[in-house]
Amino acid sequence: DEKIATLAMSLVTNSHVQILYLSQCGITAKGAYLLAFALRKNRSLEHLWLNGNKIGSVGAEAIAAALFENKTLMTLGLANNSIGNRGGKKLVEAVRENESITDIFLEGNRMNKRLVDEINSIVDGEEDEEEEVHGEGSYYMHSSKEARKRPAGADKFIDLDDSTVTASVSPSCVGRMLDAIQEEEEEE
C-alpha cells in the first residue's frame, strides 16, 4: 500500500493517464482508500482495473464514494475483491449517481445476485428506462441522475481512521495525503 500512496498522489494532478491496471497487486482497503481520494481529484483516468486484490467492503465503500465526484471513469474492474453485500450496496448508490461508468466487473465478490444484477442494470441504463415507463406506479422515478441526492455520509468511513490507513505507508507521503484531505474537508 506504500506504493499505492505514491501512485495516488501522482494521480491527483496527472492529466495524461487514462488506463490504470492494478490487478492482483495486493491492494487492501487502505490502498483503496488512497486511490479513492485520487479518483475524486483526477480528471483523466477512464479505465481502472483493481481485480484480484483485497479491498473488501470498506475499500469498495471508499471507491463508491469517489464515484460521486469522479465523472471520467468509464470502466471499473473490481472482480474478486471480497466486496460482499455491504460494499455492493454502496456501489449501487454510486452507480446511480455516476453517469460515466459504462462497464463494471464484479465477479467473485460474495455479493448477492440481486445486487450484482441491480448494478449491471443501472450501468446498462436499463433501470432508468424501465422506471420512466412505470414512473407513476409503485416505482421510484429516476429520470435524471443529476437530480438524485448524494446519500448522507457517503464519504465517511467509520471502519477506517488515519492510523489504519497510514499503517503501511511512508510518513511523509501519508502526511501529504492527509493534509490534502483535511484541506478539502475544511474548504467544504
Side-chain angles (χ1 to χ4, degrees):
D1 286 333
E2 182 176 332
K3 291 178 182 174
I4 293 300
T6 303
L7 176 63
M9 286 300 291
S10 298
L11 284 174
V12 167
T13 57
N14 186 292
S15 61
H16 302 290
V17 174
Q18 295 178 328
I19 301 170
L20 189 57
Y21 187 83
L22 296 172
S23 293
Q24 299 180 358
C25 290
I27 300 169
T28 65
K30 298 170 197 174
Y33 185 83
L34 295 169
L35 285 171
F37 175 75
L39 281 175
R40 286 185 169 131
K41 304 290 185 186
N42 182 280
R43 299 294 176 249
S44 65
L45 192 63
E46 295 177 355
H47 309 280
L48 176 61
W49 297 95
L50 296 171
N51 301 332
N53 285 294
K54 304 170 186 172
I55 69 169
S57 63
V58 174
E61 288 181 50
I63 299 290
L67 294 179
F68 284 96
E69 296 177 41
N70 182 291
K71 304 301 179 197
T72 59
L73 197 65
M74 295 184 292
T75 304
L76 180 58
L78 293 173
N80 301 309
N81 268 292
S82 299
I83 290 172
N85 291 333
R86 179 175 154 192
K89 289 176 185 175
K90 295 298 182 183
L91 287 169
V92 167
E93 294 171 7
V95 296
R96 275 199 178 115
E97 174 73 19
N98 183 301
E99 294 182 347
S100 65
I101 298 288
T102 58
D103 294 294
I104 190 164
F105 299 88
L106 299 167
E107 301 82 12
N109 276 305
R110 301 177 310 139
M111 285 172 52
N112 179 309
K113 183 180 179 334
R114 184 192 58 77
L115 282 172
V116 174
D117 290 345
E118 186 173 0
I119 291 168
N120 287 330
S121 71
I122 294 167
V123 169
D124 292 342
E126 295 168 6
E127 182 187 60
D128 286 348
E129 293 169 15
E130 179 181 330
E131 290 179 1
E132 284 179 17
V133 171
H134 305 341
E136 303 238 339
S138 60
Y139 295 87
Y140 180 74
M141 183 64 144
H142 288 297
S143 59
S144 169
K145 286 189 176 187
E146 286 121 17
R148 296 183 202 144
K149 301 287 182 202
R150 181 178 179 160
D155 54 348
K156 307 265 188 253
F157 304 104
I158 316 168
D159 300 44
L160 288 177
D161 61 15
D162 293 348
S163 62
T164 304
V165 171
T166 61
S168 66
V169 181
S170 67
S172 62
C173 189
V174 168
R176 291 192 309 268
M177 287 289 290
L178 294 176
D179 288 346
I181 292 169
Q182 186 173 14
E183 286 175 19
E184 177 186 314
E185 289 175 352
E186 288 172 0
E187 289 175 8
E188 292 175 1

